[in-house]
PDB file of all heavy atoms in Angstrom:
ATOM      1  N   GLY A 562     136.074 149.666 140.575  1.00 96.00           N
ATOM      2  CA  GLY A 562     135.578 148.707 139.593  1.00 96.00           C
ATOM      3  C   GLY A 562     136.574 147.597 139.377  1.00 96.00           C
ATOM      4  O   GLY A 562     137.761 147.747 139.675  1.00 96.00           O
ATOM      5  N   GLN A 563     136.086 146.460 138.876  1.00 94.00           N
ATOM      6  CA  GLN A 563     136.987 145.351 138.577  1.00 94.00           C
ATOM      7  C   GLN A 563     136.400 144.526 137.445  1.00 94.00           C
ATOM      8  O   GLN A 563     135.186 144.348 137.343  1.00 94.00           O
ATOM      9  CB  GLN A 563     137.212 144.464 139.817  1.00 94.00           C
ATOM     10  CG  GLN A 563     138.405 143.516 139.659  1.00 94.00           C
ATOM     11  CD  GLN A 563     138.860 142.920 140.984  1.00 94.00           C
ATOM     12  OE1 GLN A 563     138.336 143.253 142.040  1.00 94.00           O
ATOM     13  NE2 GLN A 563     139.843 142.036 140.940  1.00 94.00           N
ATOM     14  N   VAL A 564     137.262 144.067 136.558  1.00 95.00           N
ATOM     15  CA  VAL A 564     136.855 143.227 135.435  1.00 95.00           C
ATOM     16  C   VAL A 564     137.574 141.884 135.558  1.00 95.00           C
ATOM     17  O   VAL A 564     138.739 141.824 135.951  1.00 95.00           O
ATOM     18  CB  VAL A 564     137.155 143.909 134.087  1.00 95.00           C
ATOM     19  CG1 VAL A 564     136.268 145.139 133.916  1.00 95.00           C
ATOM     20  CG2 VAL A 564     138.624 144.313 133.965  1.00 95.00           C
ATOM     21  N   PHE A 565     136.863 140.803 135.211  1.00 93.00           N
ATOM     22  CA  PHE A 565     137.380 139.447 135.392  1.00 93.00           C
ATOM     23  C   PHE A 565     137.194 138.635 134.110  1.00 93.00           C
ATOM     24  O   PHE A 565     136.155 138.726 133.456  1.00 93.00           O
ATOM     25  CB  PHE A 565     136.613 138.692 136.487  1.00 93.00           C
ATOM     26  CG  PHE A 565     136.614 139.323 137.839  1.00 93.00           C
ATOM     27  CD1 PHE A 565     135.715 140.332 138.143  1.00 93.00           C
ATOM     28  CD2 PHE A 565     137.482 138.888 138.837  1.00 93.00           C
ATOM     29  CE1 PHE A 565     135.688 140.902 139.404  1.00 93.00           C
ATOM     30  CE2 PHE A 565     137.464 139.458 140.098  1.00 93.00           C
ATOM     31  CZ  PHE A 565     136.561 140.466 140.382  1.00 93.00           C
ATOM     32  N   LYS A 566     138.180 137.824 133.801  1.00 94.00           N
ATOM     33  CA  LYS A 566     138.008 136.773 132.808  1.00 94.00           C
ATOM     34  C   LYS A 566     137.656 135.483 133.561  1.00 94.00           C
ATOM     35  O   LYS A 566     138.533 134.813 134.107  1.00 94.00           O
ATOM     36  CB  LYS A 566     139.285 136.584 131.988  1.00 94.00           C
ATOM     37  CG  LYS A 566     139.569 137.704 130.998  1.00 94.00           C
ATOM     38  CD  LYS A 566     140.785 137.402 130.140  1.00 94.00           C
ATOM     39  CE  LYS A 566     141.045 138.516 129.135  1.00 94.00           C
ATOM     40  NZ  LYS A 566     142.234 138.240 128.297  1.00 94.00           N
ATOM     41  N   LEU A 567     136.376 135.162 133.570  1.00 94.00           N
ATOM     42  CA  LEU A 567     135.933 133.989 134.318  1.00 94.00           C
ATOM     43  C   LEU A 567     136.226 132.701 133.567  1.00 94.00           C
ATOM     44  O   LEU A 567     136.334 131.636 134.184  1.00 94.00           O
ATOM     45  CB  LEU A 567     134.429 134.081 134.593  1.00 94.00           C
ATOM     46  CG  LEU A 567     133.957 135.252 135.458  1.00 94.00           C
ATOM     47  CD1 LEU A 567     132.440 135.235 135.566  1.00 94.00           C
ATOM     48  CD2 LEU A 567     134.582 135.192 136.835  1.00 94.00           C
ATOM     49  N   GLY A 568     136.293 132.769 132.254  1.00 94.00           N
ATOM     50  CA  GLY A 568     136.488 131.561 131.470  1.00 94.00           C
ATOM     51  C   GLY A 568     135.290 130.637 131.584  1.00 94.00           C
ATOM     52  O   GLY A 568     134.140 131.050 131.429  1.00 94.00           O
ATOM     53  N   THR A 569     135.540 129.378 131.925  1.00 95.00           N
ATOM     54  CA  THR A 569     134.452 128.397 132.023  1.00 95.00           C
ATOM     55  C   THR A 569     134.177 127.979 133.471  1.00 95.00           C
ATOM     56  O   THR A 569     133.558 126.951 133.712  1.00 95.00           O
ATOM     57  CB  THR A 569     134.782 127.152 131.178  1.00 95.00           C
ATOM     58  OG1 THR A 569     136.021 126.586 131.647  1.00 95.00           O
ATOM     59  CG2 THR A 569     134.917 127.501 129.706  1.00 95.00           C
ATOM     60  N   LYS A 570     134.655 128.792 134.433  1.00 93.00           N
ATOM     61  CA  LYS A 570     134.479 128.442 135.854  1.00 93.00           C
ATOM     62  C   LYS A 570     133.013 128.158 136.197  1.00 93.00           C
ATOM     63  O   LYS A 570     132.696 127.152 136.838  1.00 93.00           O
ATOM     64  CB  LYS A 570     135.016 129.574 136.734  1.00 93.00           C
ATOM     65  CG  LYS A 570     134.696 129.420 138.227  1.00 93.00           C
ATOM     66  CD  LYS A 570     135.243 130.586 139.028  1.00 93.00           C
ATOM     67  CE  LYS A 570     134.694 130.590 140.455  1.00 93.00           C
ATOM     68  NZ  LYS A 570     135.120 129.431 141.244  1.00 93.00           N
ATOM     69  N   TYR A 571     132.113 129.029 135.778  1.00 95.00           N
ATOM     70  CA  TYR A 571     130.699 128.862 136.126  1.00 95.00           C
ATOM     71  C   TYR A 571     129.947 128.038 135.085  1.00 95.00           C
ATOM     72  O   TYR A 571     129.060 127.258 135.443  1.00 95.00           O
ATOM     73  CB  TYR A 571     130.034 130.235 136.300  1.00 95.00           C
ATOM     74  CG  TYR A 571     130.583 130.985 137.490  1.00 95.00           C
ATOM     75  CD1 TYR A 571     131.683 131.831 137.355  1.00 95.00           C
ATOM     76  CD2 TYR A 571     130.034 130.816 138.754  1.00 95.00           C
ATOM     77  CE1 TYR A 571     132.222 132.494 138.447  1.00 95.00           C
ATOM     78  CE2 TYR A 571     130.559 131.482 139.856  1.00 95.00           C
ATOM     79  CZ  TYR A 571     131.651 132.317 139.698  1.00 95.00           C
ATOM     80  OH  TYR A 571     132.179 132.964 140.787  1.00 95.00           O
ATOM     81  N   SER A 572     130.294 128.184 133.829  1.00 96.00           N
ATOM     82  CA  SER A 572     129.591 127.406 132.808  1.00 96.00           C
ATOM     83  C   SER A 572     129.868 125.919 132.961  1.00 96.00           C
ATOM     84  O   SER A 572     128.993 125.083 132.721  1.00 96.00           O
ATOM     85  CB  SER A 572     129.983 127.886 131.404  1.00 96.00           C
ATOM     86  OG  SER A 572     131.383 127.920 131.250  1.00 96.00           O
ATOM     87  N   GLU A 573     131.061 125.561 133.423  1.00 95.00           N
ATOM     88  CA  GLU A 573     131.391 124.145 133.617  1.00 95.00           C
ATOM     89  C   GLU A 573     130.650 123.578 134.821  1.00 95.00           C
ATOM     90  O   GLU A 573     130.045 122.507 134.743  1.00 95.00           O
ATOM     91  CB  GLU A 573     132.900 123.980 133.795  1.00 95.00           C
ATOM     92  CG  GLU A 573     133.349 122.532 133.857  1.00 95.00           C
ATOM     93  CD  GLU A 573     134.859 122.405 133.787  1.00 95.00           C
ATOM     94  OE1 GLU A 573     135.566 123.427 133.765  1.00 95.00           O
ATOM     95  OE2 GLU A 573     135.326 121.249 133.752  1.00 95.00           O
ATOM     96  N   SER A 574     130.671 124.303 135.942  1.00 95.00           N
ATOM     97  CA  SER A 574     130.023 123.780 137.149  1.00 95.00           C
ATOM     98  C   SER A 574     128.502 123.802 137.042  1.00 95.00           C
ATOM     99  O   SER A 574     127.811 122.996 137.670  1.00 95.00           O
ATOM    100  CB  SER A 574     130.461 124.583 138.380  1.00 95.00           C
ATOM    101  OG  SER A 574     130.067 125.941 138.257  1.00 95.00           O
ATOM    102  N   MET A 575     127.954 124.718 136.209  1.00 96.00           N
ATOM    103  CA  MET A 575     126.505 124.863 136.119  1.00 96.00           C
ATOM    104  C   MET A 575     125.932 124.400 134.779  1.00 96.00           C
ATOM    105  O   MET A 575     124.733 124.536 134.535  1.00 96.00           O
ATOM    106  CB  MET A 575     126.118 126.326 136.381  1.00 96.00           C
ATOM    107  CG  MET A 575     126.519 126.820 137.763  1.00 96.00           C
ATOM    108  SD  MET A 575     126.002 128.524 138.090  1.00 96.00           S
ATOM    109  CE  MET A 575     124.217 128.336 138.167  1.00 96.00           C
ATOM    110  N   GLY A 576     126.778 123.855 133.919  1.00 96.00           N
ATOM    111  CA  GLY A 576     126.276 123.273 132.674  1.00 96.00           C
ATOM    112  C   GLY A 576     125.751 124.273 131.674  1.00 96.00           C
ATOM    113  O   GLY A 576     124.722 124.018 131.024  1.00 96.00           O
ATOM    114  N   ALA A 577     126.438 125.390 131.502  1.00 97.00           N
ATOM    115  CA  ALA A 577     126.032 126.385 130.509  1.00 97.00           C
ATOM    116  C   ALA A 577     126.753 126.067 129.198  1.00 97.00           C
ATOM    117  O   ALA A 577     127.946 126.349 129.046  1.00 97.00           O
ATOM    118  CB  ALA A 577     126.363 127.793 130.981  1.00 97.00           C
ATOM    119  N   ILE A 578     126.042 125.479 128.257  1.00 97.00           N
ATOM    120  CA  ILE A 578     126.656 125.024 127.010  1.00 97.00           C
ATOM    121  C   ILE A 578     125.876 125.552 125.806  1.00 97.00           C
ATOM    122  O   ILE A 578     124.732 125.997 125.933  1.00 97.00           O
ATOM    123  CB  ILE A 578     126.729 123.485 126.940  1.00 97.00           C
ATOM    124  CG1 ILE A 578     125.315 122.886 127.050  1.00 97.00           C
ATOM    125  CG2 ILE A 578     127.629 122.931 128.034  1.00 97.00           C
ATOM    126  CD1 ILE A 578     125.277 121.381 126.854  1.00 97.00           C
ATOM    127  N   TYR A 579     126.514 125.502 124.651  1.00 97.00           N
ATOM    128  CA  TYR A 579     125.855 125.829 123.387  1.00 97.00           C
ATOM    129  C   TYR A 579     126.320 124.823 122.341  1.00 97.00           C
ATOM    130  O   TYR A 579     127.318 124.121 122.531  1.00 97.00           O
ATOM    131  CB  TYR A 579     126.210 127.251 122.942  1.00 97.00           C
ATOM    132  CG  TYR A 579     127.642 127.415 122.480  1.00 97.00           C
ATOM    133  CD1 TYR A 579     127.985 127.304 121.129  1.00 97.00           C
ATOM    134  CD2 TYR A 579     128.671 127.651 123.385  1.00 97.00           C
ATOM    135  CE1 TYR A 579     129.298 127.442 120.703  1.00 97.00           C
ATOM    136  CE2 TYR A 579     129.984 127.789 122.976  1.00 97.00           C
ATOM    137  CZ  TYR A 579     130.296 127.684 121.622  1.00 97.00           C
ATOM    138  OH  TYR A 579     131.592 127.797 121.196  1.00 97.00           O
ATOM    139  N   LYS A 580     125.600 124.753 121.236  1.00 97.00           N
ATOM    140  CA  LYS A 580     125.997 123.869 120.146  1.00 97.00           C
ATOM    141  C   LYS A 580     126.691 124.693 119.064  1.00 97.00           C
ATOM    142  O   LYS A 580     126.214 125.754 118.673  1.00 97.00           O
ATOM    143  CB  LYS A 580     124.781 123.145 119.573  1.00 97.00           C
ATOM    144  CG  LYS A 580     124.200 122.110 120.537  1.00 97.00           C
ATOM    145  CD  LYS A 580     123.212 121.211 119.859  1.00 97.00           C
ATOM    146  CE  LYS A 580     122.633 120.190 120.848  1.00 97.00           C
ATOM    147  NZ  LYS A 580     123.662 119.264 121.357  1.00 97.00           N
TER     148      LYS A 580
END
Side-chain angles (χ1 to χ4, degrees):
Q563 195 165 356
V564 293
F565 302 83
K566 288 185 179 180
L567 297 177
T569 58
K570 171 181 169 65
Y571 294 90
S572 52
E573 186 170 4
S574 62
M575 299 182 68
I578 59 174
Y579 71 94
K580 290 192 181 296

